[in-house]
Amino acid sequence: MKIFLLEDDTSLNKIIKLSLENKGFFVENFFDGYEAANIILNNRYDLYILDVNVLGFDGHKILEIIRNENINTPVIMISAEIDIENIKKSFNLGCNDYIKKPFDFEELFLRIQYHLSYKKEQNSDMNIELGYNFTFNLLEEKLYKHNHEIELTVKEKLLLTLFVKNINKSVTNEMIHEYVWDSKEMESVSMRSIIHKLKKKLKNGMIINLRGVGYKLISIE
């Protein structure tokens, strides 16, 4: 699961990121609203955590951008602001939850679990049959063979999610770079290494190389 975090308090930002990563989430963390706005317009996440008061665009503006893009992903606002008008504004703009600082991390984690489980109920049929007895659950980002889970790393989960969302279609190297590495600088060998490792966890020939273009996940009916 990819979580977007906007929090300008350096210490709190790092604590939330580390805590969620220890729970198995992939977290992209940001400190500045302007940078966050650019990322949101070009990427998709499973849940957003936004601090109300940050540099550049504040959390309310970022929330507005998210909803204007017709993104229905859960958004949790966090803030030291406790006045009812501030809370009302957050909900009017479309947030799903509002947590007042200071808060216990377990409270944040429980709320994340709740919103992701509700999203799961709304998208109950997320098991995608890949053929050769492989199944991938898009919401949980879990790969199964004969109902036995095959362990995936965070980047393998992101990569396979991208492939499954574009099953039997070309996935360019640029798409992989953007989705798995969030367009951050990387060595080309890193991409090839992750793809090679994922191929070994699937049946030979399910992921094919499209020379000069990218890759394709082939589904066998």
Side-chain angles (χ1 to χ4, degrees):
M1 292 288 183
K2 291 179 70 174
I3 291 182
F4 179 100
L5 170 63
L6 175 62
E7 168 58 66
D8 66 351
D9 183 312
T10 304
S11 296
L12 181 58
N13 188 307
K14 291 180 178 178
I15 289 172
I16 294 174
K17 175 179 171 64
L18 180 60
S19 298
L20 289 177
E21 287 179 340
N22 287 338
K23 295 285 189 179
F25 294 102
F26 178 79
V27 181
E28 281 289 314
N29 60 324
F30 302 90
F31 303 88
D32 180 278
Y34 291 131
E35 181 185 8
N38 289 328
I39 296 296
I40 284 172
L41 292 173
N42 295 293
N43 295 275
R44 290 293 181 266
Y45 297 85
D46 297 293
L47 185 137
Y48 296 85
I49 301 172
L50 308 176
D51 183 18
V52 172
N53 296 314
V54 293
L55 295 173
F57 290 138
D58 64 14
H60 284 143
K61 183 60 179 179
I62 299 300
L63 172 58
E64 195 172 4
I65 291 172
I66 291 171
R67 294 309 185 221
N68 285 342
E69 287 291 305
N70 292 318
I71 302 173
N72 295 317
T73 303
V75 176
I76 298 176
M77 306 298 289
I78 55 176
S79 178
E81 301 288 342
I82 60 174
D83 62 284
I84 192 64
E85 290 304 317
N86 195 55
I87 297 173
K88 184 187 296 185
K89 181 177 181 179
S90 296
F91 281 103
N92 285 341
L93 288 172
C95 81
N96 299 86
D97 214 334
Y98 190 105
I99 303 179
K100 300 174 184 178
K101 299 180 186 177
F103 55 82
D104 187 285
F105 170 73
E106 283 302 314
E107 178 188 358
L108 175 61
F109 178 62
L110 287 171
R111 293 184 187 230
I112 290 172
Q113 281 188 310
Y114 169 77
H115 291 294
L116 291 180
S117 65
Y118 179 76
K119 181 180 176 182
K120 181 177 180 179
E121 290 176 8
Q122 298 297 101
N123 301 276
S124 56
D125 189 16
M126 298 295 283
N127 289 318
I128 309 299
E129 298 292 337
L130 305 180
Y132 299 111
N133 299 305
F134 285 100
T135 303
F136 185 69
N137 186 283
L138 270 173
L139 189 62
E140 298 178 340
E141 295 180 325
K142 291 183 179 181
L143 176 66
Y144 299 91
K145 184 174 184 181
H146 295 297
N147 296 319
H148 173 74
E149 184 178 354
I150 298 173
E151 187 174 346
L152 299 173
T153 66
V154 171
K155 281 193 164 36
E156 286 170 353
K157 288 180 180 180
L158 294 173
L159 179 60
L160 187 52
T161 296
L162 178 62
F163 280 142
V164 172
K165 286 181 176 179
N166 295 276
I167 201 159
N168 295 320
K169 297 179 182 178
S170 300
V171 175
T172 66
N173 294 326
E174 291 75 16
M175 290 168 66
I176 296 173
H177 184 201
E178 178 183 305
Y179 190 83
V180 180
W181 278 270
D182 286 298
S183 300
K184 293 180 180 177
E185 186 175 347
M186 52 157 276
E187 298 289 339
S188 58
V189 67
S190 297
M191 183 184 297
R192 291 196 298 270
S193 175
I194 296 297
I195 290 171
H196 176 71
K197 291 176 181 177
L198 183 58
K199 281 183 174 181
K200 292 178 69 175
K201 296 180 179 181
L202 296 168
K203 184 175 176 60
N204 185 39
M206 289 183 70
I207 296 177
I208 63 172
N209 184 11
L210 304 175
R211 189 177 296 277
V213 178
Y215 300 86
K216 180 188 290 187
L217 173 65
I218 303 296
S219 173
I220 306 299
E221 297 297 337

